[in-house]
Amino acid sequence: AQSVSQHNHHVILSEAASLELGCNYSYGGTVNLFWYVQYPGQHLQLLLKYFSGDPLVKGIKGFEAEFIKSKFSFNLRKPSVQWSDTAEYFCAVNYHPSAGTYKYIFGTGTRLKVLA
Amino acid sequence: ETGVTQSPTHLIKTRGQQVTLRCSSQSGHNTVSWYQQALGQGPQFIFQYYREEENGRGNFPPRFSGLQFPNYSSELNVNALELDDSALYLCASSLVPGGGYTFGSGTRLTVV
């Protein structure tokens, strides 16, 4: 079965520290890649997405992610975190097991806590 | 932007019963998918509908079924409820299959 791995389950950082959250997937074919964020008490929101082209994608709130095909990775980064970035972050992959069909896999999530 | 709305927000059912959860997609979105999220886990893909036809399914048994209507609302039906079906059920819509999703706040189902 295909999988998405988020290696960091809990991350604690101080404000202004840099952030990198790892995401690796197993599917060997073409994929669409996503990062979603869930702030406390809110629903999942799309942070950024990669379909094709420039492997470095920029999202909302200063987040970016880099797709490295050879490593099956799509790591999320932010140069300087803020207290308001405290949330749970989910990596997700969409792929086509056969023509016209879709599957989505989410990672188990990383809980980020930013200390003021 | 109307967002994705789900009803009800909470539901308690007895093992063996059937349940229907409802979702209203964001305006203009013709793709809807449903997810099951257990506590401490990421969302698990149940299925996706595009223009009223299922075009993707995760590893869930046939007792999980769905419908999408012409007005882009949708339903998730679960028959013969089991205790392990207790979870948060999320609906999400997208402009196109494979695109980024707009999620609803979910329906918390408890099976007793």
Side-chain angles (χ1 to χ4, degrees):
Chain A
Q2 305 302 329
S3 63
V4 172
S5 299
Q6 291 183 243
H7 309 295
N8 313 102
H9 299 294
H10 292 88
V11 174
I12 301 175
L13 295 172
S14 297
E15 274 194 316
S18 64
L19 170 72
E20 181 160 3
L21 301 182
C23 173
N24 288 89
Y25 62 93
S26 61
Y27 187 71
T30 301
V31 293
N32 293 336
L33 299 159
F34 308 87
W35 277 96
Y36 287 87
V37 60
Q38 187 166 26
Y39 297 104
Q42 298 187 25
H43 57 269
L44 280 162
Q45 300 173 41
L46 182 64
L47 200 53
L48 48 77
K49 59 189 177 186
Y50 172 81
F51 291 163
S52 63
D54 188 345
L56 185 63
V57 293
K58 296 191 183 298
I60 60 173
K61 303 186 181 184
F63 285 90
E64 64 179 30
E66 184 176 14
F67 170 49
I68 302 179
K69 189 175 182 179
S70 61
K71 295 185 178 181
F72 297 86
S73 71
F74 190 56
N75 291 355
L76 181 71
R77 300 196 292 248
K78 186 171 184 178
S80 175
V81 295
Q82 301 173 312
W83 177 81
S84 58
D85 293 324
T86 294
E88 189 159 18
Y89 294 80
F90 293 93
C91 179
V93 171
N94 160 242
Y95 66 98
H96 303 274
S98 60
T101 65
Y102 296 79
K103 286 217 175 187
Y104 291 83
I105 309 175
F106 276 73
T108 53
T110 297
R111 287 185 183 270
L112 171 65
K113 183 170 185 175
V114 180
L115 304 175
Chain B
E1 189 175 286
T2 56
V4 174
T5 56
Q6 294 186 241
S7 63
T9 53
H10 295 84
L11 198 54
I12 300 175
K13 302 292 278 186
T14 302
R15 187 173 51 183
Q17 286 187 316
Q18 178 266 344
V19 69
T20 298
L21 309 182
R22 294 182 171 82
C23 172
S24 178
S25 297
Q26 183 168 321
S27 179
H29 285 191
N30 57 19
T31 304
V32 65
S33 61
W34 285 86
Y35 297 82
Q36 180 194 69
Q37 188 175 21
L39 214 56
Q41 299 295 317
Q44 299 291 312
F45 176 61
I46 302 176
F47 45 60
Q48 175 175 281
Y49 279 78
Y50 172 63
R51 295 184 175 176
E52 303 169 52
E53 293 205 5
E54 184 181 297
N55 70 348
R57 191 172 183 92
N59 297 326
F60 282 81
R63 60 189 185 85
F64 286 78
S65 63
L67 285 170
Q68 185 187 29
F69 301 102
N71 64 355
Y72 303 137
S73 64
S74 65
E75 291 180 353
L76 164 65
N77 298 290
V78 187
N79 293 323
L81 283 167
E82 301 176 359
L83 297 179
D84 285 348
D85 296 333
S86 296
L88 180 68
Y89 288 85
L90 298 169
C91 171
S93 70
S94 175
L95 273 170
V96 295
Y101 277 105
T102 300
F103 277 83
S105 298
T107 294
R108 174 74 61 187
L109 173 65
T110 302
V111 182
V112 297

